[in-house]
Amino acid sequence: MDSFMRRAVQLAVDNVREGGQPFGAVLVKDQEAIAEGVNELHKNYDVSGHAEMLALRRAQARFQSNDLSGTVMYASGEPCPMCLTAMYFAGVQKVYYCASVEEAVEAGLGKSREIYEDLKKPKEARSLPMVEMPLEKGQEDPMALWKKR
């Protein structure tokens, strides 16, 4: 096993021992660990406080950039849809993980699989309703304003 993955797994083990969930992540660029994270939901009551999200946030703060192109994420567990999406937005080039979503389900952590399945459905069939609301007449259009920038 790669040293970065060993570190991600050790972070996850330590987090479980401290009362958290079994997830750790290490973000790497040019064979150097640039940021780490563990799920901190139990500490901060923040559903976005996942290991991968925190590693991304820390790297972006460190480099004062949203662009993390050329980085590689090592995660103790298969990333959830939120974390995976954030990695797409940040430009992460590859993700390695140990435990699959199916293994997480077996351990009692099955929300990711439910969300992945829900996202495969058309918008109108998903469990979280999404309703488009047009701008009011005369209301400034933020997208139009962005295009003019």
Side-chain angles (χ1 to χ4, degrees):
M1 184 183 286
D2 181 283
S3 65
F4 299 121
M5 185 58 80
R6 275 196 299 278
R7 176 66 181 154
V9 171
Q10 188 60 55
L11 287 167
V13 167
D14 293 344
N15 201 44
V16 170
R17 289 191 174 127
E18 294 172 11
Q21 293 180 339
F23 300 106
V26 177
L27 188 63
V28 173
K29 184 164 177 111
D30 300 324
Q31 291 300 305
E32 176 191 346
I34 60 170
E36 298 181 339
V38 297
N39 275 36
E40 294 184 359
L41 284 72
H42 65 295
K43 292 180 180 178
N44 300 319
Y45 305 102
D46 173 6
V47 297
S48 70
H50 289 198
E52 301 91 336
M53 295 290 285
L54 294 174
L56 292 171
R57 288 178 189 156
R58 290 171 181 148
Q60 289 173 328
R62 176 179 172 186
F63 296 108
Q64 293 294 291
S65 175
N66 292 323
D67 183 4
L68 298 175
S69 296
T71 58
V72 176
M73 183 70 76
Y74 291 81
S76 63
E78 185 174 354
C80 75
M82 172 184 64
C83 292
L84 184 61
T85 301
M87 287 185 253
Y88 274 105
F89 277 117
V92 173
Q93 76 176 33
K94 194 169 195 172
V95 180
Y96 293 99
Y97 64 91
C98 275
S100 68
V101 167
E102 291 72 27
E103 290 173 282
V105 168
E106 290 174 19
L109 299 162
K111 196 68 174 173
S112 288
R113 181 169 72 178
E114 293 172 24
I115 296 169
Y116 273 123
E117 290 301 318
D118 208 44
L119 289 172
K120 292 177 185 177
K121 300 174 186 173
K123 287 180 195 174
E124 61 276 1
R126 293 181 188 158
S127 62
L128 179 60
M130 292 176 56
V131 180
E132 184 176 6
M133 295 179 70
L135 294 172
E136 294 177 355
K137 186 175 180 175
Q139 190 174 16
E140 189 169 17
D141 182 345
M143 293 296 173
L145 185 62
W146 174 257
K147 286 182 208 176
K148 288 180 186 175
R149 246 179 30 111

